[in-house]
């Protein structure tokens, strides 16, 4: 992980980095090691890496003794990886789009960790896809835009709190591990980054009768931030009387804004409507 080697590899293989594919390669060995440490990688750990690029983080994971499956969409980079990871017997490269690959088939049923410097244009679909599929993922340690990391850990009533916060906190316990400056990448992205560790929960923090309804309510509550909760919940298609009843039973003031509700309060409304 250093600038000169990275640029040399890209030049040798005639690679032009694609902005569209979110290609910002890590050139900071300290960050690579800090990610591996945050994921507490032990020899023999099964790891899914998303977007290995030229293999900078992959190599670090391989040297820690992990069994790595790395999914890369860019065919040109797959050829580079064959060279840069030559001799790493514990790495398997899969050419494909992480949003389309059959992850269960690639990873099997034993639990594993997800470690990645994510392509920022699809951070949310990747993370939500992994969580919603209920894959046997124990831990996700990912580099994301700092703003996205802040949204994931945000608490009710703060400006960053939204549907993503609720969803990530429903499935995991997220913590921001450290901030990474643009100069740690080539090319340097326009924004600061953060490494976030999401420990997947074995039990959700709130019990809901229907997850589908829970997330519908969450989505509705955050759909129009300037509206009161009562008005926002109308977008669920429920009659106003039912909305009033549920809020009254839950002891929640309908004049509040959706973004002030805790996971527990969303769960109370869900369970009232599930009756
Ligand atoms: N891991 C490398 C590093 O840290 O230097 C590269 C990280 S770069 C931010 C993101 C990588 O994800 C790129 O290699 C890009 O080609 C790849 N990528 C983008 N979209 C993808 C997708 N849908 N599925 C799999 N890989 C993808």
């Amino acid at each position: 992980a250093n600038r000169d080697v990275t640029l040399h590899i890209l030049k040798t293989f005639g690679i032009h980095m694609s902005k569209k594919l979110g290609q910002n390669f890590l050139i900071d060995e300290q960050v690579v090691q800090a990610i591996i440490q945050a994921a507490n990688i032990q020899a023999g750990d099964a790891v899914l890496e998303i977007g290995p690029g030229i293999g900078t983080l992959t190599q670090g994971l391989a040297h820690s003794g992990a069994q790595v499956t790395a999914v890369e969409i860019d065919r040109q980079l797959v050829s580079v990886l064959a060279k840069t990871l030559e001799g790493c017997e514990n790495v398997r490269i899969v050419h494909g789009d992480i949003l389309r690959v059959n992850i269960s088939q690639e990873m099997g049923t034993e639990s594993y960790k997800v470690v990645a410097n994510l392509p920022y244009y699809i951070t949310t679909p990747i993370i939500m896809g992994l969580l919603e599929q209920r894959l046997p993922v124990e831990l996700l340690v990912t580099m994301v835009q700092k703003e996205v990391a802040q949204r994931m850990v945000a608490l009710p009533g703060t400006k960053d709190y939204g549907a993503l916060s609720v969803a990530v906190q429903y499935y995991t316990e997220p913590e921001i591990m450290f901030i990474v400056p643009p100069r740690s990448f080539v090319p340097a992205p326009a924004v600061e980054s953060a490494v976030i560790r999401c420990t997947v929960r074995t039990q959700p923090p709130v019990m809901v009768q229907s997850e589908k309804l829970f997330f519908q309510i969450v989505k509705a509550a955050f759909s129009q931030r300037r509206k009161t909760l009562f008005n926002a919940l109308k977008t669920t298609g429920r009659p106003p009387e039912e909305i009033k009843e549920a809020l009254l039973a839950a002891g929640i003031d309908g004049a509040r804004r959706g973004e002030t509700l805790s996971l527990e309060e969303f769960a109370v409304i869900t369970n009232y409507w599930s009756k």
Side-chain angles (χ1 to χ4, degrees):
N2 89 38
R3 177 185 300 274
D4 292 345
V5 172
T6 301
L7 293 176
H8 175 75
I9 291 172
L10 293 170
K11 197 167 160 218
T12 307
F13 287 88
I15 306 279
H16 296 283
M17 279 175 285
S18 158
K19 210 172 172 176
K20 212 177 97 208
L21 290 177
Q23 292 176 351
N24 299 91
F25 298 137
L26 263 172
I27 52 165
D28 188 332
E29 184 60 26
Q30 276 186 0
V31 173
V32 171
Q33 290 310 319
I35 293 173
I36 290 168
Q37 212 169 25
N40 188 24
I41 298 297
Q42 305 292 322
D45 277 357
V47 172
L48 169 64
E49 191 197 321
I50 297 156
I54 60 166
T56 310
L57 178 58
T58 324
Q59 208 167 52
L61 290 164
H63 289 163
S64 306
Q67 292 293 330
V68 187
T69 301
V71 179
E72 174 56 61
I73 198 170
D74 188 338
R75 187 182 292 280
Q76 292 183 84
L77 292 177
V78 173
S79 328
V80 178
L81 290 162
K83 196 79 199 152
T84 54
L85 298 172
E86 212 170 24
C88 292
E89 309 251 302
N90 47 342
V91 177
R92 195 167 64 92
I93 302 295
V94 175
H95 175 224
D97 177 345
I98 192 63
L99 299 179
R100 289 164 170 264
V101 161
N102 184 335
I103 301 174
S104 302
Q105 206 170 304
E106 296 298 339
M107 297 305 294
T109 50
E110 294 292 317
S111 74
Y112 52 92
K113 296 172 178 176
V114 173
V115 181
N117 172 14
L118 289 176
Y120 293 171
Y121 73 105
I122 42 168
T123 302
T124 306
I126 292 176
I127 292 183
M128 290 317 301
L130 291 169
L131 297 175
E132 283 168 357
Q133 284 179 65
R134 302 263 181 189
L135 298 164
V137 174
E138 53 182 276
L139 192 70
L140 293 104
V141 175
T142 56
M143 177 90 72
V144 299
Q145 272 187 50
K146 190 176 94 180
E147 283 70 20
V148 175
Q150 285 167 334
R151 279 164 46 206
M152 289 182 185
V153 302
L155 296 175
T158 62
K159 75 169 182 4
D160 291 330
Y161 186 62
L164 180 66
S165 327
V166 175
V168 168
Q169 293 168 32
Y170 179 80
Y171 292 112
T172 78
E173 288 181 78
E175 21 173 0
I176 294 179
M177 304 305 287
F178 51 91
I179 306 297
V180 182
R183 64 168 185 278
S184 295
F185 305 87
V186 117
V191 291
E192 279 196 303
S193 302
V195 169
I196 185 157
R197 173 165 72 192
C198 299
T199 308
V200 179
R201 298 177 187 274
T202 46
Q203 290 276 334
V206 290
M207 292 317 244
V208 291
Q209 305 288 325
S210 157
E211 280 183 359
K212 194 169 161 223
L213 182 58
F214 175 76
F215 285 114
Q216 263 172 12
I217 293 171
V218 170
K219 194 170 156 215
F222 289 107
S223 60
Q224 283 132 328
R225 283 200 169 238
R226 284 204 305 267
K227 280 196 179 174
T228 63
L229 178 63
F230 176 72
N231 281 328
L233 288 180
K234 284 185 190 159
T235 62
T236 59
R238 300 237 165 201
E241 271 319 305
E242 269 185 36
I243 298 173
K244 257 188 207 142
E245 264 173 37
L247 291 174
L248 195 68
I252 298 167
D253 181 354
R256 278 169 62 184
R257 308 279 148 172
E259 65 262 29
T260 66
L261 261 65
S262 63
L263 268 70
E264 287 77 12
E265 289 176 313
F266 281 120
V268 174
I269 300 175
T270 307
N271 292 337
Y272 186 84
W273 276 348
S274 303
K275 268 194 248 165

